Amino acid sequence: MATNTPDPRDGGNFDYTGGAVDRPDLVDALDRRVDGDVRFDEYSKRMYATDASAYEVTPIGVVIPESTADVAAVHEYCFEEGVPVLPRGGGTSLAGQTVNEAVVLDLTGEMDAVLEADPDAATARVQAGAYVGDLNAAVESDGLKFAPDPAWRDKSAVGGAIGNNSTGSHSLKYGKTDHYVEELEVVLADGTVTTFGEERVSDLRESADADSDDLLDRIHAEIVRILDEEAAEIDERFPEMKRNVSGYNLDRLLAEYRGEYGEEGVVNLGRLMAGSEGTLATVTEATVSLVEIPETKAVALLTYDDLLDAMEDVAPILEHDPSAVEVMDDVLLGLAADTPEFADVVGMLPDGTDSVLLVEFYAESDEEGRQKVADLVADRVGPEAEGGPETIETPDDGAAETTSQPRRAVDAMEAHDPDDRERFWKMRKSGLPILLSRTTDEKHISFIEDCAIPPEHLPEYTREFQEILEDNDTFATFYAHAGPGVLHIRPLINTKNVEEVDAMVDIADRVTDAVVRLGGSVSGEHGDGHARTQWNRKLYGDDLWDAFRDLKTAFDPDWLLNPGNVCGDHDMSEDLRFDSEYEYDAEFDPALEWAVDNGMQGMVELCHGCGGCRGRQETTGGVMCPTYRAADEEIQATRGRANMLRGAMSGELPEDPTDDEFVTEVMDLCVGCKGCKVDCPSGVDMAKLKAEVEHAHHEEHGVDLRTRLLGSFESLAPLGSKLAPLSNLPNKLPGAGLLGEKLLGIAKERDLPAFRSESLTDWFDARGGAGIPRAEADREVLLFPDVYTTYTNPGAGKAAVRVLEAANCHVRIPDVDGSGRPPHSKGLLEKSRATARDAVETLAPEVREGKDVVVVEPTDAVMLQSDYHDLLDGDASSVPDADVAAVSENTYGIMEYVDAHRLDETMGLDAPTEALTYHGHCHQKATKKDHHAVGVLRRAGYGVDPLDSSCCGMAGSFGYEAEHYSMSKAIGETLFDQVDASDGDEVVAPGASCRTQLKERDASAPEPPHPVEKLAAALA
């Protein structure tokens, strides 16, 4: 449990640990030797037991080193004591190479700096834990980037990219990470710190000594032996594939020795580390080469009637020298068609389209890009002329080159504008999140998904793979990197079922046979790890398998570095996250409706570990996950919380999920922003899970006074308004803040909300009610009296009335007691359910008569639109589901309402010349309703800079609570930096808590206005 005093300067000095501490002697020994954190508690081990793969192994403990010296100290001690060690970056590995029974070194915690960049030399030096996205951001202004572009580059560490020899969608142009490794600082198994870069083999021969006590001498001896004795076997057994990352990087070593990449007789030992998965040494710093960012790009989307036709077309398309060729099959297209963002794009495809190939070109100019696309389309699209392929005239420069292959593409769509290109790429990536959002026991498992096949053999490989899937009574999608022959294929498997695990092994075994026969590689992107290590022997044969093991032994005599990987003894059917012995028991019944397969259990088990919640605001944007971004702690990421919840509910953590320590350390700092609902690829709804856990905790342990008071704000606010200004004295009396902190835990630094003596409803009644008679109105609106607008900021409500009446709306304020948001945010679900039930019973009959519900406060709008379904659907309430749906479907935020019905077009707006900086509410962003205010304000005449911001950090009552103050301020500082960088003249924000937080950015300035107030100000 957190015991330290929060410090606003570091985002909260919580200890982020919990449970029993294992192996205290080892903890003490490492603590004495390192400056970084040593964490062997149950919570820390639980969080590092998984990655983005299907595997789970509890580590011995976790060390978050601060320096290379720390890493060396851990290696040295563990080498002496026979303790395994595992270096880890972002934990985004898909084959299970970053989970093991070892001391985990989390290099992203403190060793994550971009140390220097040299634009003239086009190189950069980084610590191993630096994200690829951060490196790219640091050199972007120089027109440079790190060439490999793994999908999660803004959450993947450079050290991880080296360990995995990562590639990406543009490997046709750039190849793998090894090509860009110039020099590495590494720590060897015994703690020796050395530099691996270019070496003359003649120098290695001089120092080589297989019997030396010096590890480097033995390493040199084995490298020389491999070059002298294994060359013929390497030539014969290594696939001639740019995308082979299976086994150790011996083919690159041999090619360098032969002078294929530079001077003959010179090898770069740093490149031997690429793809070694931390089994040979731990990389602590890397000097990498950079490439120029392409001037521009052009994209063509070729359509096909059959997936096999698309596969047949890949090889001839490659003759046009594209930068990327990506495939989407019918399953992915169907998933994309079900998303509002891409439905119209998929709808433009010809009837009968089964698959598409996205082909991208790099170009020096837009004209060149258009020409490349024109040449491709002329060559590959359309009916075949009689007599076979023909040369087609193009309007720009005559005859376009053609291949000798028949045309198979039915049609083509082009994208040259950056926004259009990005939309095509987003469509290609849109299906995977839906694949990963299954809450059933069956999951699309990554275990054989990225074999690399020579492109000319893709049709045969695809046919055989489909047959293997049919034989095992399952299916998969076929998508991703068709150009280099790396199809991502994730079969649907229930690993809780023994028979289906057997099927998984059979699929992998037979697919591997096909891969070897067709000259491919077992892994073209995601590495060996637990999933594929066992197949390297089949791929390379016994001689090279033994050579791998000899190399491993030379580097790591006792096999302590990430043991079992690459050439070890991993069995792909063991150490699965979900297996036949897995059991789930939340120990309480859910209070909310879970309209997903497997109910709440399905949501608890949904996180697949990709680390999408660990991206930084600067490089990833979006909402998720604000507490992780502030604290840089795994337990504060959605992934960390999800792993902890699953562990507590499956018995893997010996603790009840409602225990005080668990609720405090794991759930309490979740601000309920709902960002994970939209930004998490799987759609893990952590805010809803938190509400369930808090509710169960209250049921078991009772409700404290502060929680009861904050959850009763809708009941107390009317009293505060009646007693104002007396009720506002605590903000002015000396010492009142300190007293409030001691008695109630309210942060002394915060001013409590100021109540207005005239509430919105008082004002509305005093003015005589509706300004537009019902009979003369175009629309009827129920302006929902949310508690914040009604009692603390009626100015925004008055502005809403002015705006709605300017659009000829009949406005009435319904007689309801609020939305239930305050108790809901505190886990008082029965209280929020009762309020929600009353609201629906009042609103539903009027909605059925044609009235719309409009809400000024975003979080209350989302409460009615979304959370009411959780509270009232199914058997949770006596309110009919149809009534809940009617209210939900006809509720709008105020700016959403104006935009959706284009009411502003009838208002005669004339905004002053002013640029606004817009910070949207996280709940609106989570429900994809945040854009409405931006559109309306721009049409009104304002310049608007919409920030790609996360939660403000205030999060309702969260920022008022003393133990949360430092976290709240740390989150807020990120927003403040974005506001400071904006050119806007004034900040606007729809959320009451957001405006409160932003007011503290500049105490001398007035509180930022609600967007509807700016819209009202623009009324002529």
Side-chain angles (χ1 to χ4, degrees):
M1 186 179 295
T3 57
N4 299 324
T5 302
D7 183 350
R9 293 168 299 175
D10 66 5
N13 191 20
F14 308 96
D15 65 19
Y16 304 113
T17 62
V21 175
D22 196 19
R23 302 186 67 168
D25 292 345
L26 179 55
V27 174
D28 290 343
L30 293 176
D31 246 337
R32 292 195 302 270
R33 289 166 169 80
V34 304
D35 295 324
D37 284 348
V38 178
R39 302 179 181 180
F40 280 51
D41 61 285
E42 290 171 330
Y43 284 15
S44 296
K45 292 192 295 181
R46 173 68 197 164
M47 284 183 293
Y48 289 85
T50 58
D51 53 13
S53 72
Y55 297 94
E56 176 176 303
V57 182
T58 302
I60 295 169
V62 179
V63 176
I64 304 175
E66 293 185 357
S67 64
T68 297
D70 277 0
V71 175
V74 172
H75 272 248
E76 182 179 10
Y77 183 78
C78 289
F79 184 78
E80 293 169 356
E81 298 297 319
V83 178
V85 176
L86 163 62
R88 174 168 162 139
T92 60
S93 301
L94 287 163
Q97 54 265 59
T98 60
V99 296
N100 217 327
E101 188 176 351
V103 174
V104 173
L105 297 171
D106 181 357
L107 299 172
T108 65
E110 299 290 342
M111 298 179 64
D112 59 351
V114 178
L115 299 172
E116 61 179 341
D118 184 345
D120 294 332
T123 61
R125 186 166 64 91
V126 301
Q127 290 182 300
Y131 288 165
V132 173
D134 290 343
L135 169 57
N136 285 341
V139 299
E140 183 179 13
S141 61
D142 296 309
L144 299 171
K145 68 173 182 176
F146 184 59
D149 57 347
W152 289 110
R153 52 191 172 276
D154 51 345
K155 302 116 184 157
S156 302
V158 174
I162 294 168
N164 205 53
N165 206 2
S166 296
T167 54
S169 296
H170 296 89
S171 63
L172 289 173
K173 289 292 186 185
Y174 296 131
K176 299 175 293 187
T177 294
D178 58 5
H179 189 71
Y180 304 94
V181 171
E182 300 300 324
E183 187 175 270
L184 301 180
E185 177 187 83
V186 303
V187 178
L188 301 180
D190 64 355
T192 299
V193 180
T194 190
T195 299
F196 280 166
E198 287 192 346
E199 300 274 0
R200 292 190 176 277
V201 176
S202 58
D203 294 336
L204 297 181
R205 292 186 188 281
E206 291 183 7
S207 61
D209 183 353
D211 298 318
S212 172
D213 292 332
D214 188 302
L215 265 186
L216 272 174
D217 294 345
R218 290 151 66 180
I219 290 168
H220 293 169
E222 182 57 24
I223 290 171
V224 169
R225 189 200 69 78
I226 288 171
L227 292 173
D228 290 344
E229 300 178 12
E230 304 291 350
E233 195 70 11
I234 292 170
D235 287 337
E236 180 180 347
R237 297 305 299 250
F238 264 79
E240 294 183 10
M241 296 288 299
K242 289 182 178 180
R243 289 288 292 262
N244 174 33
V245 300
S246 294
Y248 290 127
N249 210 10
L250 302 188
D251 56 340
R252 174 78 191 208
L253 180 75
L254 181 60
E256 289 187 347
Y257 178 52
R258 290 168 170 169
E260 295 178 19
Y261 293 96
E263 184 180 352
E264 185 177 351
V266 175
V267 297
N268 189 317
L269 299 188
R271 292 169 186 158
L272 185 59
M273 298 301 99
S276 63
E277 301 183 0
T279 62
L280 301 181
T282 293
V283 176
T284 51
E285 289 185 12
T287 300
V288 296
S289 56
L290 308 170
V291 298
E292 291 185 356
I293 297 172
E295 193 66 32
T296 189
K297 305 170 186 176
V299 172
L301 199 68
L302 307 187
T303 72
Y304 298 86
D305 289 339
D306 186 83
L307 176 63
L308 293 178
D309 283 345
M311 295 297 94
E312 293 280 3
D313 227 16
V314 172
I317 287 173
L318 292 179
E319 297 183 29
H320 288 262
D321 193 29
S323 59
V325 181
E326 303 281 303
V327 65
M328 290 180 67
D329 70 357
D330 60 328
V331 176
L332 267 291
L333 288 175
L335 295 175
D338 289 336
T339 62
E341 188 175 3
F342 304 110
D344 59 338
V345 178
V346 178
M348 294 171 64
L349 300 176
D351 291 342
T353 296
D354 174 87
S355 303
V356 300
L357 291 178
L358 184 155
V359 185
E360 182 183 77
F361 295 96
Y362 287 163
E364 294 298 319
S365 66
D366 185 60
E367 181 181 7
E368 181 187 9
R370 289 179 181 276
Q371 183 61 55
K372 288 184 175 183
V373 168
D375 289 348
L376 175 72
V377 171
D379 177 32
R380 305 310 314 147
V381 179
E384 204 63 60
E386 190 172 339
E390 62 177 341
T391 299
I392 297 178
E393 297 294 321
T394 64
D396 291 322
D397 56 354
E401 292 184 4
T402 65
T403 67
S404 59
Q405 297 293 323
R407 296 189 203 122
R408 294 183 174 85
V410 175
D411 205 346
M413 299 169 62
E414 299 184 21
H416 301 280
D417 178 80
D419 290 341
D420 291 338
R421 297 197 306 263
E422 180 64 19
R423 198 172 185 206
F424 278 13
W425 272 105
K426 280 186 176 180
M427 186 179 75
R428 205 297 267 149
K429 297 173 182 177
S430 67
L432 181 58
I434 304 175
L435 284 181
L436 299 178
S437 65
R438 280 183 176 270
T439 58
T440 60
D441 289 340
E442 297 85 7
K443 307 287 186 185
H444 287 279
I445 303 294
S446 170
F447 66 95
I448 196 67
E449 74 159 341
D450 69 320
C451 298
I453 304 297
E456 62 271 20
H457 295 315
L458 279 176
E460 179 180 354
Y461 175 70
T462 301
R463 277 191 293 267
E464 187 163 348
F465 207 129
Q466 289 174 329
E467 292 171 1
I468 293 170
L469 293 174
E470 289 176 8
D471 289 347
N472 283 279
D473 196 27
T474 188
F475 72 95
T477 58
F478 291 70
Y479 67 101
H481 318 307
V486 182
L487 302 181
H488 287 346
I489 308 170
R490 292 190 175 201
L492 191 67
I493 298 288
N494 176 12
T495 59
K496 296 177 183 177
N497 183 299
V498 174
E499 293 180 355
E500 293 200 36
V501 172
D502 291 342
M504 182 174 78
V505 176
D506 181 67
I507 291 168
D509 191 14
R510 293 170 61 185
V511 167
T512 300
D513 287 338
V515 166
V516 174
R517 187 179 71 254
L518 296 172
S521 168
V522 173
S523 176
E525 184 168 20
H526 296 149
D528 297 326
H530 285 253
R532 283 182 283 271
T533 286
Q534 73 187 78
W535 307 115
N536 280 338
R537 190 165 194 159
K538 180 178 287 190
L539 174 64
Y540 290 112
D542 290 341
D543 289 344
L544 280 183
W545 177 261
D546 290 340
F548 289 161
R549 294 175 66 84
D550 290 343
L551 182 67
K552 164 70 173 172
T553 302
F555 272 90
D556 181 16
D558 298 325
W559 284 54
L560 297 175
L561 302 184
N562 204 7
N565 287 271
V566 182
C567 57
D569 57 357
H570 282 325
D571 183 330
M572 68 171 296
S573 64
E574 297 178 354
D575 298 323
L576 291 164
R577 186 184 307 183
F578 301 109
D579 58 22
S580 60
E581 298 180 1
Y582 175 88
E583 294 182 0
Y584 171 90
D585 181 7
E587 300 189 13
F588 62 83
D589 293 327
L592 299 173
E593 176 71 12
W594 292 87
V596 295
D597 291 317
N598 282 2
M600 180 178 163
Q601 177 183 353
M603 185 61 66
V604 170
E605 297 173 358
L606 181 57
C607 174
H608 67 283
C610 73
C613 45
R614 287 171 47 99
R616 306 194 198 284
Q617 195 72 48
E618 300 81 2
T619 55
T620 305
V623 181
M624 185 183 70
C625 180
T627 46
Y628 172 78
R629 289 169 175 174
D632 203 20
E633 287 279 353
E634 177 73 16
I635 200 171
Q636 296 308 323
T638 302
R639 179 176 71 178
R641 291 192 180 98
N643 278 327
M644 296 297 289
L645 263 181
R646 182 167 44 80
M649 293 180 176
S650 65
E652 294 163 22
L653 258 182
E655 189 166 342
D656 189 316
T658 61
D659 285 353
D660 284 341
E661 183 171 35
F662 188 92
V663 171
T664 298
E665 281 295 348
V666 180
M667 305 305 298
D668 190 48
L669 287 176
C670 169
V671 296
C673 67
K674 297 178 178 281
C676 45
K677 192 172 181 179
V678 64
D679 290 339
C680 169
S682 297
V684 174
D685 194 343
M686 188 53 62
K688 187 174 175 181
L689 288 169
K690 178 187 178 181
E692 285 280 18
V693 172
E694 282 194 329
H695 174 75
H697 180 263
H698 295 327
E699 292 287 296
E700 184 175 342
H701 299 281
V703 184
D704 62 76
L705 177 60
R706 185 184 69 182
T707 299
R708 199 176 297 277
L709 288 173
L710 293 174
S712 301
F713 187 63
E714 287 174 320
S715 303
L716 297 174
L719 180 61
S721 177
K722 282 183 170 55
L723 295 177
L726 185 64
S727 56
N728 297 323
L729 284 179
N731 286 335
K732 301 176 182 179
L733 293 176
L738 183 61
L739 183 64
E741 182 165 304
K742 289 186 176 297
L743 293 179
L744 295 174
I746 302 298
K748 61 182 182 295
E749 296 88 351
R750 297 286 193 190
D751 286 337
L752 295 172
F755 296 106
R756 308 301 176 189
S757 57
E758 183 184 55
S759 70
L760 176 64
T761 51
D762 292 340
W763 168 83
F764 191 79
D765 291 341
R767 79 193 285 264
I772 303 293
R774 183 175 185 179
E776 299 175 11
D778 294 326
R779 312 185 70 87
E780 293 187 63
V781 170
L782 300 172
L783 185 64
F784 190 91
D786 70 83
V787 66
Y788 308 103
T789 304
T790 303
Y791 298 106
T792 70
N793 187 29
K798 295 173 186 179
V801 172
R802 285 190 63 204
V803 165
L804 291 168
E805 291 185 344
N808 203 37
C809 296
H810 173 77
V811 179
R812 188 165 61 81
I813 298 179
D815 184 17
V816 295
D817 295 325
S819 70
R821 171 59 71 193
H824 198 75
S825 68
K826 304 305 297 178
L828 303 173
L829 300 185
E830 293 307 325
K831 187 177 181 66
S832 65
R833 195 190 322 274
T835 303
R837 182 187 301 113
D838 291 344
V840 169
E841 288 176 347
T842 298
L843 297 173
E846 301 211 53
V847 165
R848 294 191 187 282
E849 293 176 358
K851 300 180 181 70
D852 297 316
V853 181
V854 175
V855 191
V856 174
E857 178 61 30
T859 187
D860 290 81
V862 172
M863 187 77 184
L864 273 67
Q865 293 168 330
S866 175
D867 297 291
Y868 275 15
H869 287 290
D870 299 334
L871 286 166
L872 302 176
D873 280 355
D875 298 328
S877 170
S878 58
V879 178
D881 288 1
D883 285 357
V884 180
V887 172
S888 169
E889 292 165 6
N890 291 279
T891 294
Y892 303 82
I894 177 61
M895 302 303 281
E896 176 192 3
Y897 190 67
V898 172
D899 189 39
H901 300 292
R902 284 297 196 268
L903 301 184
D904 54 305
E905 295 176 357
T906 66
M907 292 181 188
L909 297 168
D910 184 18
T913 303
E914 187 178 5
L916 304 177
T917 297
Y918 177 74
H919 164 65
H921 194 281
C922 49
H923 286 186
Q924 285 186 320
K925 292 178 180 180
T927 51
K928 298 185 178 181
K929 298 178 182 294
D930 182 52
H931 63 283
H932 295 291
V934 176
V936 171
L937 291 174
R938 283 176 173 166
R939 292 198 300 272
Y942 292 106
V944 184
D945 177 19
L947 300 178
D948 186 5
S949 51
S950 181
C951 177
C952 69
M954 199 68 187
S957 62
F958 178 89
Y960 286 102
E961 296 163 352
E963 71 274 22
H964 298 153
Y965 176 72
S966 60
M967 178 64 76
S968 172
K969 291 295 289 183
I971 296 171
E973 287 297 329
T974 301
L975 173 59
F976 297 168
D977 289 343
Q978 290 181 294
V979 172
D980 291 342
S982 173
D983 293 330
D985 302 314
E986 184 178 25
V987 184
V988 295
S993 57
C994 305
R995 297 193 299 273
T996 300
Q997 184 83 303
L998 285 163
K999 174 67 172 70
E1000 296 201 6
R1001 170 178 165 268
D1002 184 358
S1004 64
E1007 182 175 286
H1010 189 292
V1012 76
E1013 294 180 275
K1014 301 304 295 185
L1015 185 61
L1019 290 171

